Amino acid sequence: MNAPAPQRLVIGIDLGTTNSVAAITGRQGPIVLRDADGEALVPSVVCFAEGEVRVGRAARALALRHPEQTVHSVKRLIGRAGAELDEEVARLPYRVVRGERDLPRIAVGGRLWSPEEVSALVLREVKRVAEAALGQPVEAAVVTVPAYFDDAQRQATKDAVALAGLQCLRIVNEPTAASLAFGIDGSKDGTVLVYDLGGGTFDVSILRIDDGVFRVLATHGDTHLGGDDVDAAVGAELAAALRARGVDPHTEDPFVRQALRRAAENVKIELSEREAATLQLDLGERGTHELHFTRAQLEALAAPLVERTLQGVRAALRDAELEPGAVDHVLLVGGSTRMPLVRKALGELMGKAPRADVDPDLAVALGAALQADVLAGGNRDLLLLDVIPLSLGIETLGGAMSKLILRNSTVPASKTEEFSTQVDGQTSVDINIYQGERELVRDCRKLGSFKLSGIPPMPAGLPRIAVTFLVDADGLLTVRAVEQRTGKEAAIKVVPSFGLTRDEVRRMMHESIEHAHEDMAARERIELRNKALAMVRGTERALEQADLPPDQTWSVRKATRQLAQALADDVPTEQLARAIDHLSHLTAQIADDVISAAVQRALTEGAGS
């Protein structure tokens, strides 16, 4: 009898904005992997200074000395366009420029670095810590991302993992992974809300567990809201306090900006445990200044940001069609959830105290390790199902948005629909792919396009083009088109050059509701015009082939000309509908007459035989 194959070594990685963590599942469950000093958190920081590239704690230690050469919070840049990042870049002490296709590039260390390359350096350090802890090489990983990361951000993260020398077996949503770390293993049915407030991103996901299957009912998030924003607000308050004393902190100086950021972060951490804090702010040549800060001051600054997260929670509950009382567990994830204000505000909204029995900095990595164990061949009873945040579809005649995969569909997902040509003799079709909730493509976001060529010339409406949308387990989209009669096909893996911002997602959802009536009216008109065009062409073709009495031919030709003229004049929708109905009534009568005549002939011939 052959011995069973050894289980593959796969680790889970939480690639965070502030810190990153690796974990693995052992006999006793998931454990984080720590370095020689017993530290689990690897700061997501890279310093390009003094002729070396340092990563993690060594890089963070040099941040004050070399602020312009130290890169942090790179997760907020990955997979996004330069035009989206003006507000983000203004806060950073290092230089970010716009490169090819308007993608951000970090000007540091004598060259331009992509966010993926810098993220890969962090991931290599995480890999090094994991290999030292395990005493063997690590080649594969499950990596987590915020639930609201779009195609571009997910693909950019996968690229970073590959650059780090790791095979990315799966991209998993952070809130989904974190729920596993709280011991919610699928053995009991229930509903879970995961509130994840990290350094740079916020996510909320509502999961339903049925018979061991984890299904995300709804997600909401903000790809640029987190503890960094609280730090920025506190830093600005510290600078204002110095100005009130007559001290100009020179906040445009990268050294000062980094010093304020570090001081603000320390104050926030200290005030999570105490009511007041005193700090010594070292501004180099501008001296050291003692400042006092209270929890009440911190909470006044953080309150608007916390309220933005609660708006996301309410939106997720609406999407899931749930009241707060229907949620069985409320879980806290991310270091910023240590703030008492967060726990108090969320508890009041949900009507129950949120759970914090797992270290919020480690929960995501521990959950990723459990999913890694599934893919490595360990726990085969666990199934995680995530959802698509915005609908996906293609452009059809007249600029309509034909949605194939709807918002909040479970992934992996696949949908095929048949379309045809609108022009006689058409030998190619442009497939334009969009994401959004509106009825017209002009109000949605274009993700990509490709051409299906080699279609034999046929009358309009005769080719049968099957378009398939496939969203894989990582949330990445592939679109394939096949002409059914000839087998000609084309496909594209949709990787847009940048993703949807929080404001765009919010705007898309709001506008889809606000403009629902006019959208449906516009779509109805487009579909009515398409129907009218098809009727005019089809009737003209039928008249050429059919042998009809002159009186019937004349009336049908007249109605056909009237409908064609209505299209040309772009008459109101109601008038166009009446012209369509009139022609439909005439052609239906003719069809009945033709069928009746054929039946009568058959009966007569049968009687005479």
Side-chain angles (χ1 to χ4, degrees):
M1 183 175 177
N2 293 332
Q7 185 174 320
R8 187 180 185 187
L9 179 62
V10 183
I11 63 172
I13 297 178
D14 172 15
L15 178 60
T17 306
T18 307
N19 296 294
S20 296
V21 190
I24 194 167
T25 300
R27 289 191 178 91
Q28 305 303 316
I31 55 170
V32 295
L33 299 172
R34 301 177 183 271
D35 64 16
D37 297 325
E39 295 285 344
L41 302 181
V42 176
S44 301
V45 183
V46 182
C47 182
F48 302 83
E50 301 174 359
E52 292 185 51
V53 178
R54 295 179 178 86
V55 185
R57 281 189 291 158
R60 190 171 63 181
L62 292 171
L64 284 176
R65 196 187 312 168
H66 302 287
E68 294 176 292
Q69 304 295 313
T70 304
V71 180
H72 60 81
S73 301
V74 72
K75 184 174 177 177
R76 298 178 85 148
L77 307 179
I78 197 165
R80 297 175 64 194
E84 298 176 336
L85 298 170
D86 291 342
E87 184 181 341
E88 302 282 358
V89 169
R91 299 178 183 176
L92 299 173
Y94 52 88
R95 186 164 160 253
V96 179
V97 300
R98 297 184 185 182
E100 293 182 15
R101 294 182 294 134
D102 198 36
L103 296 178
R105 292 292 179 263
I106 300 159
V108 65
R111 57 165 280 196
L112 296 180
W113 296 75
S114 68
E116 293 89 332
E117 290 174 302
V118 176
S119 296
L121 293 173
V122 174
L123 284 162
R124 280 181 196 156
E125 178 65 10
V126 173
K127 180 175 183 282
R128 185 195 66 76
V129 169
E131 290 177 337
L134 295 169
Q136 65 182 99
V138 173
E139 296 178 352
V142 167
V143 181
T144 61
V145 297
Y148 244 66
F149 259 28
D150 67 5
D151 278 356
Q153 290 164 302
R154 289 169 189 267
Q155 185 60 51
T157 302
K158 289 190 79 171
D159 292 342
V161 177
L163 287 171
L166 287 165
Q167 181 185 3
C168 184
L169 296 188
R170 179 72 55 84
I171 295 286
V172 176
N173 285 349
E174 291 165 3
T176 309
S179 64
L180 301 176
F182 282 82
I184 300 170
D185 59 2
S187 59
K188 294 181 180 179
D189 292 352
T191 305
V192 181
L193 184 144
V194 183
Y195 177 102
D196 184 350
L197 184 60
T201 57
F202 166 69
D203 284 291
V204 58
S205 286
I206 300 175
L207 300 91
R208 176 67 193 170
I209 305 164
D210 287 308
D211 295 327
V213 176
F214 286 65
R215 184 174 186 273
V216 180
L217 299 180
T219 67
H220 208 276
D222 190 327
T223 54
H224 45 117
L225 171 63
D228 287 356
D229 299 279
V230 178
D231 296 344
V234 173
E237 189 76 2
L238 294 174
L242 289 172
R243 291 191 189 97
R245 296 182 182 180
V247 177
D248 184 355
H250 292 275
T251 51
E252 71 282 356
D253 183 329
F255 174 86
V256 172
R257 199 181 302 170
Q258 192 73 284
L260 286 169
R261 175 179 169 273
R262 180 71 62 82
E265 184 180 1
N266 291 337
V267 164
K268 180 183 68 178
I269 292 169
E270 190 170 351
L271 291 177
S272 292
E273 304 293 333
R274 302 170 58 187
E275 293 293 332
T278 300
L279 69 148
Q280 303 293 325
L281 184 59
D282 181 4
L283 296 181
E285 296 175 355
R286 297 172 186 85
T288 299
H289 304 271
E290 185 176 276
L291 294 170
H292 300 279
F293 218 78
T294 66
R295 180 182 289 180
Q297 285 177 283
L298 172 66
E299 293 187 344
L301 294 170
L305 299 170
V306 173
E307 176 55 31
R308 278 169 59 187
T309 70
L310 297 183
Q311 290 171 8
V313 173
R314 295 185 191 102
L317 287 167
R318 283 195 301 271
D319 287 347
E321 299 181 347
L322 291 175
E323 293 296 324
V327 175
D328 300 304
H329 302 279
V330 179
L331 312 182
L332 291 176
V333 177
S336 297
T337 62
R338 287 189 172 91
M339 287 193 295
L341 175 64
V342 169
R343 300 184 179 198
K344 179 173 180 286
L346 183 61
E348 289 175 353
L349 173 62
M350 298 303 297
K352 58 174 63 68
R355 286 180 55 182
D357 45 304
V358 176
D359 186 328
D361 281 318
L362 307 181
V364 170
L366 292 169
L370 287 164
Q371 178 66 1
D373 187 47
V374 174
L375 298 177
N379 180 4
R380 297 183 184 277
D381 297 326
L382 179 67
L383 178 62
L384 299 183
L385 300 174
D386 284 322
V387 295
I388 294 161
L390 287 169
S391 301
L392 298 162
I394 67 169
E395 179 180 10
T396 54
L397 185 67
M401 167 70 160
S402 179
K403 297 170 187 171
L404 274 77
I405 298 183
L406 298 180
R407 178 174 180 265
N408 277 337
S409 296
T410 301
V411 297
S414 178
K415 181 70 180 292
T416 300
E417 285 191 15
E418 275 199 10
F419 299 89
S420 192
T421 54
Q422 298 292 337
V423 179
D424 290 340
Q426 192 171 337
T427 58
S428 66
V429 177
D430 291 317
I431 310 288
N432 296 314
I433 304 149
Y434 287 83
Q435 183 176 37
E437 299 308 311
R438 300 287 296 276
E439 296 297 324
L440 304 181
V441 295
R442 71 184 183 209
D443 301 312
C444 297
R445 181 155 188 176
K446 189 173 184 178
L447 295 182
S449 62
F450 66 100
K451 186 184 290 287
L452 174 63
S453 303
I455 302 172
M458 290 183 265
L462 199 56
R464 295 171 50 212
I465 301 167
V467 177
T468 300
F469 273 44
L470 172 64
V471 180
D472 67 17
D474 295 328
L476 300 176
L477 170 66
T478 299
V479 181
R480 181 169 173 260
V482 181
E483 203 292 302
Q484 302 284 67
R485 300 180 191 277
T486 61
K488 293 286 185 181
E489 68 174 85
I492 185 174
K493 187 170 185 178
V494 179
V495 183
S497 59
F498 50 87
L500 291 165
T501 66
R502 170 187 58 81
D503 290 336
E504 284 176 311
V505 171
R506 182 182 295 167
R507 174 180 56 76
M508 283 180 170
M509 294 309 304
H510 177 73
E511 289 178 352
S512 70
I513 298 168
E514 184 181 356
H515 299 286
H517 180 74
E518 61 191 80
D519 281 357
M520 291 306 297
R523 185 185 181 92
E524 180 187 2
R525 180 163 182 78
I526 288 171
E527 291 176 346
L528 206 60
R529 286 186 62 84
N530 292 345
K531 181 179 180 181
L533 278 168
M535 284 189 69
V536 169
R537 290 172 183 153
T539 306
E540 288 174 344
R541 192 177 296 127
L543 288 171
E544 291 171 2
Q545 298 170 356
D547 184 17
L548 298 174
D551 58 331
Q552 286 185 328
T553 303
W554 181 85
S555 60
V556 172
R557 285 196 189 281
K558 180 181 177 183
T560 304
R561 284 196 300 271
Q562 288 173 338
L563 181 55
Q565 191 61 47
L567 280 168
D569 293 343
D570 201 22
V571 300
T573 301
E574 296 77 8
Q575 190 175 337
L576 182 63
R578 286 196 297 271
I580 290 173
D581 289 343
H582 179 53
L583 181 56
S584 294
H585 178 69
L586 289 175
T587 53
Q589 270 192 332
I590 291 173
D592 288 344
D593 291 346
V594 169
I595 292 170
S596 297
V599 170
Q600 189 61 45
R601 280 197 305 273
L603 291 172
T604 303
E605 290 167 3
S609 60

